[in-house]
Amino acid sequence: MPIISAPHAFNEAELYVDLRSIFGHSLYLKCEGFNFAGSIKLKAAIEMVDTAEREGLLTPESILVESSSGNLGVALSMIAASKGYRFLCVTDSRCNLSTRLLMEALGSQVHVIAGLDANGGFLGARLDYVRALCASDDRYVWLSQYTNPGNWRAHYRTTAPQIARQFPELDVLFVGAGTTGTLMGCARWFREWQRPVRVVAVDSIGSVTFGGPPGRRMIPGLGMGVRPPLLDESFVDEVVLVEEADTIRTCHRMAKSGFLFGGSTGTVVSGAMEWFARQDAPEDLTAVAIAPDLGERYLDTVYHTNWLQALYGEDVLDSEESAAGAWMAPQPPPLSPAPDRRRYNRAGRRSTDQQHQPENNEAEA
């Protein structure tokens, strides 16, 4: 029986869901939402705070500040409350209401950026606000999840070896790309492992992380409006981009079987099923995907009919069954390369002639 005295001392690491009965493909979903912060971001938060304490950056007078679309903000709120720090989360209007209320319930201050930056996104405006705070008062300590190596080191030390212990015959790992901390930590670890593992990054259409054009993204969690400083594409074997409508259909399909997951998980699972549909993969392929959080924080967005219909149309869920059916069997590739589906080889170079596009704007993970 675990007995703890600090909320971040507990994190269920060995729970997986086999999605074969739902989607027709064996995919083991690593559930990272069973801790008091409710998401995988707890790992990065612990690593970054512990490092800042060891390096003497945090004092009793310090005020932690971070830009977050939600989950890291909750994790830092919980740790700050436990350790006696003040914490200010800078987020934007896409952050779920329940997430903002949760941070405030934990004693944190939440500042919501309403205006867009010069590139039409939120992230630049959020970062400008954080920089201005730090310049105005040296009590502010910015952990900077976008550049902090502790973000990926947390998953190099924990998430990847946890998966390897449970699945020593792992063939493919699907990881969502936000700040790319989880992706980079796992990809680096498995590159050094005893057997080759194919690392497939899953991102949202509209994210510029892998060179695509910027576009509207309403579901927080995955995707970036600027190229993530932590990203090293040489560790990524393939990339699959997912439409938000497909994310929503996947979330609702899992919910019909009793599994309520967040938007990031819907994106990762949708991308994995698309990957299966385009591969001639053997039946005994061992594949794992990472589910960053659960679905309760998305009840007023991904699982709210009015919100869905206002943004994606009244028929957004009508094609759920047909889309799921399409995943059940391999489909021929499109006649011409599509900008939303790009593949990388082991060296990190695209298998098409498309060159990397310039960085662009907006979001987080």
Side-chain angles (χ1 to χ4, degrees):
M1 175 177 68
I3 298 175
I4 63 173
S5 57
H8 49 279
F10 171 78
N11 195 356
E12 172 55 57
E14 308 298 341
L15 179 62
Y16 294 80
V17 175
D18 186 350
L19 297 178
R20 178 185 287 276
S21 63
I22 303 175
F23 295 104
H25 288 284
S26 181
L27 177 66
Y28 299 102
L29 193 60
K30 188 178 193 306
C31 301
E32 291 281 355
F34 291 97
N35 56 60
F36 284 99
S39 81
I40 196 171
K41 287 293 186 178
L42 177 61
K43 293 176 174 178
I46 292 172
E47 182 78 19
M48 291 189 295
V49 170
D50 285 353
T51 300
E53 288 179 332
R54 287 195 304 271
E55 294 177 353
L57 299 177
L58 285 173
T59 69
E61 292 74 35
S62 296
I63 305 172
L64 282 168
V65 61
E66 186 57 77
S67 163
S68 170
S69 63
N71 281 339
L72 182 69
V74 172
L76 288 173
S77 293
M78 188 190 75
I79 293 173
S82 174
K83 291 177 172 285
Y85 296 118
R86 294 168 60 190
F87 172 57
L88 168 61
C89 181
V90 180
T91 187
D92 60 62
S93 56
R94 295 170 310 145
C95 181
N96 297 321
L97 175 61
S98 59
T99 300
R100 299 202 300 266
L101 294 175
L102 180 53
M103 288 189 278
E104 290 171 350
L106 289 166
S108 297
Q109 181 182 355
V110 180
H111 180 83
V112 180
I113 296 292
L116 302 178
D117 58 29
N119 295 315
F122 288 107
L123 182 56
R126 279 166 31 186
L127 298 183
D128 286 345
Y129 187 86
V130 172
R131 293 188 186 102
L133 279 178
C134 294
S136 68
D137 191 331
D138 59 11
R139 291 177 300 168
Y140 285 104
V141 175
W142 182 19
L143 298 177
S144 186
Q145 63 165 326
Y146 310 100
T147 60
N148 194 322
N151 191 347
W152 68 261
R153 279 201 305 262
H155 304 286
Y156 183 93
R157 292 194 309 101
T158 62
T159 309
Q162 288 165 1
I163 294 170
R165 283 195 298 270
Q166 296 299 315
F167 298 95
E169 300 301 316
L170 181 67
D171 296 303
V172 185
L173 177 66
F174 298 94
V175 188
T179 63
T180 67
T182 306
L183 174 64
M184 286 294 96
C186 290
R188 289 173 185 274
W189 194 91
F190 279 110
R191 180 64 61 87
E192 301 168 1
W193 201 33
Q194 60 188 8
R195 54 174 280 130
V197 172
R198 196 159 195 81
V199 176
V200 180
V202 183
D203 198 9
S204 300
I205 290 178
S207 167
V208 306
T209 295
F210 296 99
R216 185 189 74 166
R217 289 179 293 110
M218 300 305 298
I219 301 174
L222 294 186
M224 288 280 283
V226 298
R227 181 175 170 83
L230 297 178
L231 176 63
D232 183 342
E233 293 181 48
S234 68
F235 289 95
V236 178
D237 296 300
E238 297 181 62
V239 177
V240 179
L241 300 190
V242 176
E243 293 273 9
E244 286 194 334
D246 290 332
T247 292
I248 290 163
R249 295 180 191 115
T250 302
C251 285
H252 282 256
R253 186 166 178 81
M254 290 188 286
K256 285 183 177 179
S257 294
F259 293 106
L260 196 72
F261 285 106
S264 299
T265 300
T267 301
V268 173
V269 173
S270 179
M273 293 305 155
E274 164 128 0
W275 186 89
F276 282 128
R278 294 182 181 276
Q279 305 294 317
D280 185 18
E283 277 294 314
D284 60 350
L285 185 78
T286 300
V288 171
I290 297 175
D293 60 6
L294 302 178
E296 291 91 338
R297 295 175 190 171
Y298 301 82
L299 294 178
D300 57 346
T301 54
V302 172
Y303 296 102
H304 194 287
T305 302
N306 292 343
W307 187 87
L308 293 177
Q309 292 180 348
L311 291 173
Y312 305 101
E314 293 187 359
D315 60 347
V316 62
L317 296 178
D318 291 350
S319 57
E320 178 186 336
E321 294 300 325
S322 60
W327 287 332
M328 295 299 191
Q331 300 295 305
L335 294 178
S336 59
D340 57 317
R341 296 288 182 259
R342 294 185 292 280
R343 298 289 184 258
Y344 290 76
N345 59 25
R346 170 60 84 175
R349 294 183 295 272
R350 289 188 186 163
S351 55
T352 70
D353 293 331
Q354 184 180 3
Q355 297 300 310
H356 189 77
Q357 300 180 21
E359 298 178 8
N360 226 305
N361 90 356
E362 206 205 341
E364 180 230 336

